[in-house]
Amino acid sequence: MSTKQLLALLSSHVDGDDEQVLSIALQVAAQEARQGRTDEAEQLKRLVKKARDQQRIGRPVSGQTPIPMARPRGELQGLVESTYPKVTLASMVLADSARARLSRIVRQQQERAALREHGQTPPAHILLVGPPGTGKTMTAAALAGELRLPLFTVRLESVFSRFLGETAAKLRVLFDQVAQTRGVYLLDEFDALGARRGEPNDVGEIRRVLNSVLTFMEEPNATDSLVLAATNHVEILDEALARRFEEVIEYGLPDPAAAKSLLERRLGRYKLNAKSWSTLKPAYEGLSQAELVRAADAVIRDAILEGTLTVETAALRSALQDRQTLRGKFRRASTS
Ligand SMILES: Nc1ncnc2c1ncn2[C@@H]1O[C@H](COP(=O)(O)OP(=O)(O)OP(=O)(O)O)[C@@H](O)[C@H]1O
Ligand SMILES: [Mg+2]
């Protein structure tokens, strides 16, 4: 296969042009056949046929996702990040109430046809509120994973700073996509809407954006897309805005049992002496889920290099204390 063919293949893949990908594969097959490599040629042809058959019966080539790859193009490029997460809610450590509500949202999405038959629609606007590192972004990924939908993430703060003066127009393009492509849409850093209000260089942009978001949230959502907004600071959100969310899910730092369970899960086959857990409590208390994961990963890396499956209590304690120290530093920095 020549570099030229490889380039054509990659660029078709980037454009999401599956048909072009297959036709290049056939060209390569023909070339292989001409050069006497019939086995390779046959293999390529069989794969192309398999891909075409799967497309015909509506199954994606990759086998996992139920809808065609949706990639932000044109105006949406650089504004929206799209992924197909594989995470599920089961891999999250959640408070019972949050888990129950998230499971209900998944079920209502899955059985939206039944709801619609009775004139109901699944809740579409969900606000995720809580301190950093407690699983808001991960929840968006897990909902997309459960529903096998693409996750489209927009970081509001960066849209504001990159497209100063055109934020509302940019978001409009995104909102139009919500009506066309079913997916999970995460408006991350949603508090940017509230935080920037009253800034001296604000030339009515915040108002325009706010109005644009409010209008969007009132529009009918024919695709039953899920729109999630995540924020650390619910208190600075506009009341009119907060009211439009059908569900508000709160996140918090883990209690000791949840922290232990998260550490155990993350450590997986790397085992800590079971009796040691109680002595670690002061080291992990007050850390967020994200910080616990980082501490666990740090000791796993050491264990891998040491070639052992046993984690020393002292090593985990020290990794947890490192996170505590960092947390203390950041807190001082943000309050000074
Ligand atoms: N509830 C949880 N269960 C399991 N792992 C978690 C949980 N919360 C966070 N994590 C771990 O921490 C990482 C970071 O969490 P995440 O990005 O979801 O936090 P966040 O709430 O969105 O934080 P921020 O407000 O800073 O955006 C996750 O990728 C995951 O590894
Ligand atoms: Mg986040």
Side-chain angles (χ1 to χ4, degrees):
M1 184 164 152
S2 69
T3 309
K4 213 166 133 202
Q5 281 165 328
L6 183 61
L7 279 173
L9 192 70
L10 281 176
S11 88
S12 317
H13 174 68
V14 169
D15 290 337
D17 189 348
D18 288 342
E19 194 40 51
Q20 187 62 16
V21 170
L22 297 181
S23 113
I24 295 168
L26 284 180
Q27 279 170 27
V28 177
Q31 212 173 317
E32 293 291 294
R34 274 198 301 279
Q35 292 173 357
R37 289 189 286 270
T38 42
D39 276 355
E40 282 85 339
E42 274 312 308
Q43 234 177 319
L44 274 167
K45 280 197 243 166
R46 266 202 306 277
L47 277 173
V48 171
K49 181 172 180 306
K50 193 170 158 201
R52 289 233 165 96
D53 287 348
Q54 287 187 344
Q55 278 172 342
R56 249 193 297 286
I57 53 172
R59 245 190 301 135
V61 185
S62 65
Q64 267 288 320
T65 44
I67 59 159
M69 266 309 252
R71 282 200 200 81
R73 297 205 189 122
E75 285 235 70
L76 284 178
Q77 236 164 14
L79 173 70
V80 183
E81 210 180 281
S82 77
T83 51
Y84 280 84
K86 297 276 183 290
V87 208
T88 56
L89 288 174
S91 61
M92 295 192 72
V93 172
L94 290 164
D96 289 346
S97 63
R99 184 178 306 282
R101 300 172 74 179
L102 291 167
S103 305
R104 197 167 63 218
I105 290 168
V106 170
R107 171 141 192 242
Q108 291 177 343
Q109 280 283 327
Q110 284 165 338
E111 299 186 27
R112 65 205 169 103
L115 291 178
R116 281 192 176 270
E117 261 173 46
H118 293 85
Q120 289 284 334
T121 49
H125 304 105
I126 296 148
L127 184 62
L128 311 176
V129 186
T134 51
K136 301 179 295 298
T137 301
M138 191 177 182
T139 296
L143 288 174
E146 295 280 350
L147 296 167
R148 304 207 172 172
L149 287 173
L151 171 65
F152 299 100
T153 305
V154 192
R155 291 172 46 223
L156 218 49
E157 180 57 46
S158 42
V159 180
F160 267 118
S161 36
R162 269 190 65 188
F163 304 101
L164 195 72
E166 320 167 53
T167 312
K170 284 283 171 194
L171 288 178
R172 192 64 248 169
V173 181
L174 171 77
F175 297 159
D176 289 342
Q177 176 179 319
V178 176
Q180 285 159 14
T181 308
R182 182 155 186 254
V184 174
Y185 292 80
L186 171 63
L187 306 175
D188 219 348
E189 306 170 342
F190 198 63
D191 32 285
L193 265 184
R196 285 179 162 237
R197 206 169 6 211
E199 269 182 21
N201 58 356
D202 169 27
V203 281
E205 173 158 47
I206 287 291
R207 263 268 84 107
R208 278 198 301 277
V209 172
L210 194 58
N211 285 337
S212 159
V213 174
L214 288 175
T215 315
F216 160 64
M217 290 184 74
E218 297 286 287
E219 286 166 9
N221 175 352
T223 56
D224 285 333
S225 286
L226 266 180
V227 180
L228 311 175
T231 176
N232 299 147
H233 310 279
V234 73
E235 64 284 356
I236 55 179
L237 284 188
D238 194 286
E239 210 197 301
L241 200 54
R243 231 181 326 114
R244 280 173 167 78
F245 289 97
E246 285 110 312
E247 295 262 5
V248 179
I249 299 182
E250 286 180 73
Y251 291 78
L253 298 178
D255 61 24
K260 176 175 173 250
S261 138
L262 196 137
L263 283 170
E264 271 177 322
R265 252 201 236 193
R266 190 74 183 187
L267 288 173
R269 56 201 196 101
Y270 298 89
K271 299 287 178 232
L272 187 81
N273 179 352
K275 277 186 252 144
S276 312
W277 280 108
S278 55
T279 67
L280 281 172
K281 203 168 139 192
Y284 63 69
E285 250 180 348
L287 291 181
S288 72
Q289 288 83 340
E291 289 164 322
L292 293 169
V293 163
R294 291 227 180 275
D297 286 353
V299 296
I300 291 175
R301 281 194 296 269
D302 285 342
I304 293 173
L305 297 184
E306 298 284 321
T308 170
L309 286 177
T310 314
V311 169
E312 297 298 331
T313 314
L316 183 56
R317 181 179 296 115
S318 142
L320 290 165
Q321 276 161 354
D322 285 348
R323 303 312 307 187
Q324 299 276 12
T325 312
L326 271 177
R327 166 171 276 258
K329 276 194 187 135
F330 282 126
R331 188 171 304 136
R332 272 197 299 283
S334 64
T335 51
S336 65

